[in-house]
Amino acid sequence: MSFRNASIRLAKSASSAIVAAQSKRALSVLARQAARPTVARKVVPTIAARGVKTINFGGMDEIVYERADWPREKLLEYFKNDTLALIGYGSQGYGQGLNLRDNGLNVIIGVRKNGASWKAAIEDGWVPGENLFDVTEAIGKGTIIMNLLSDAAQSETWPTIAPLLTEGKTLYFSHGFSPVFKELTHVEPPKNIDVILAAPKGSGRTVRSLFKEGRGINSSYAVWNDRS
Ligand SMILES: NC(=O)c1ccc[n+]([C@@H]2O[C@H](COP(=O)([O-])OP(=O)(O)OC[C@H]3O[C@@H](n4cnc5c(N)ncnc54)[C@H](OP(=O)(O)O)[C@@H]3O)[C@@H](O)[C@H]2O)c1
């Protein structure tokens, strides 16, 4: 089983803003409706399609994985020897980190000491020296390094992080920006490690709230470098 499955699984286990314009639109529609006489309308329910295995995006067939393809037991077995070092505890760090922890995976957090994220992590039950470390220490302990710093910080910290990404580790992103625009970001992952993406299609708060409802969020996954 390739590490492609790791990215898929991370997307599912980890991984709202309905913009004001939409709210306004909704309100104006409601206002218009209130002014009209009531007419019985035929309601056509939207039914989510299940069991879709491929979707064609722009002429390319992409494989779709669902939760049923990766039950929790399989996930735990697959990652039983891994330490997921989640770097950054902002929006995505919070959502993905807590979901991974609740799913029983071995996850640790790496953030700068005494920053806002460090304090937020402690409030969420992460314990310094046990599963909360500074960035360098967490990367040293991790096998899958989930870079969930802000995109600007990924670029800023790359000179420090890059030498720590030694052979055998996997580098994970939740946005392709850093490696894709490497001329701007200077984030150029080493060739001797796996590099993957799992990008939830929503904020970390939504990733978390849907998980707590027993649901999930659709996510994109990709493999940038398949070393293993
Ligand atoms: N937000 C979304 O809706 C969303 C959705 C999908 C994908 N993504 C992607 O997920 C990744 C994370 O995004 P995010 O929105 O979760 O980020 P974010 O909320 O902006 O997280 C910022 C994190 O970066 C840390 N940080 C900032 N500057 C730093 C520095 N110079 N050194 C060390 N740490 C620093 C912060 O720590 P301190 O508290 O110490 O400052 C904080 O933990 C990005 O690649 C983003 O594109 C985001």
Side-chain angles (χ1 to χ4, degrees):
M1 193 172 300
S2 80
F3 83 102
R4 175 185 294 268
N5 285 327
S7 63
I8 297 158
R9 204 45 242 156
L10 284 167
K12 288 170 180 293
S13 59
S15 351
S16 73
I18 303 298
V19 289
Q22 281 178 305
S23 306
K24 275 190 203 153
R25 209 178 310 132
L27 284 174
S28 64
V29 168
L30 282 176
R32 277 204 303 276
Q33 281 176 346
R36 285 192 204 135
T38 312
V39 180
R41 284 165 198 259
K42 193 177 171 193
V43 178
V44 182
T46 307
I47 301 167
R50 296 275 168 209
V52 175
K53 293 300 173 201
T54 57
I55 294 181
N56 190 282
F57 286 107
M60 182 183 282
D61 276 340
E62 300 204 353
I63 303 170
V64 177
Y65 292 88
E66 294 188 75
R67 191 194 310 236
D69 297 318
W70 275 87
R72 187 164 164 270
E73 298 68 36
K74 188 172 163 185
L75 157 76
L76 292 176
E77 173 63 23
Y78 189 84
F79 289 110
K80 68 180 178 200
N81 296 322
D82 278 306
T83 298
L84 309 177
L86 200 153
I87 309 306
Y89 197 73
S91 172
Q92 288 299 324
Y94 154 84
Q96 297 189 33
L98 292 179
N99 292 359
L100 289 166
R101 190 175 75 183
D102 286 353
N103 264 334
L105 279 99
N106 180 21
V107 55
I108 61 174
I109 303 293
V111 286
R112 51 187 170 186
K113 270 192 177 150
N114 300 318
S117 296
W118 179 270
K119 289 173 191 152
I122 290 174
E123 277 169 26
D124 290 340
W126 303 94
V127 180
E130 194 178 298
N131 52 21
L132 174 61
F133 303 94
D134 71 22
V135 172
T136 305
E137 206 176 347
I139 295 176
K141 289 177 183 295
T143 55
I144 299 177
I145 313 305
M146 302 173 66
N147 194 334
L148 295 179
L149 297 173
S150 65
D151 292 305
Q154 288 178 22
S155 179
E156 201 179 313
T157 57
W158 186 246
T160 310
I161 288 179
L164 307 173
L165 301 171
T166 48
E167 186 141 21
K169 292 188 192 285
T170 294
L171 178 60
Y172 165 110
F173 293 103
S174 280
H175 197 296
F177 183 77
S178 289
V180 169
F181 294 101
K182 62 181 182 217
E183 286 79 14
L184 295 172
T185 64
H186 307 294
V187 173
E188 195 160 3
K191 300 271 185 294
N192 63 344
I193 62 168
D194 292 332
V195 183
I196 60 176
L197 169 131
K201 301 285 130 198
S203 78
R205 298 281 148 189
T206 310
V207 167
R208 182 62 181 158
S209 60
L210 289 175
F211 176 89
K212 287 196 333 196
E213 289 170 25
R215 298 161 68 197
I217 190 163
N218 58 316
S219 308
S220 298
Y221 69 90
V223 177
W224 177 263
N225 191 38
D226 186 353
R227 169 71 173 183
S228 65

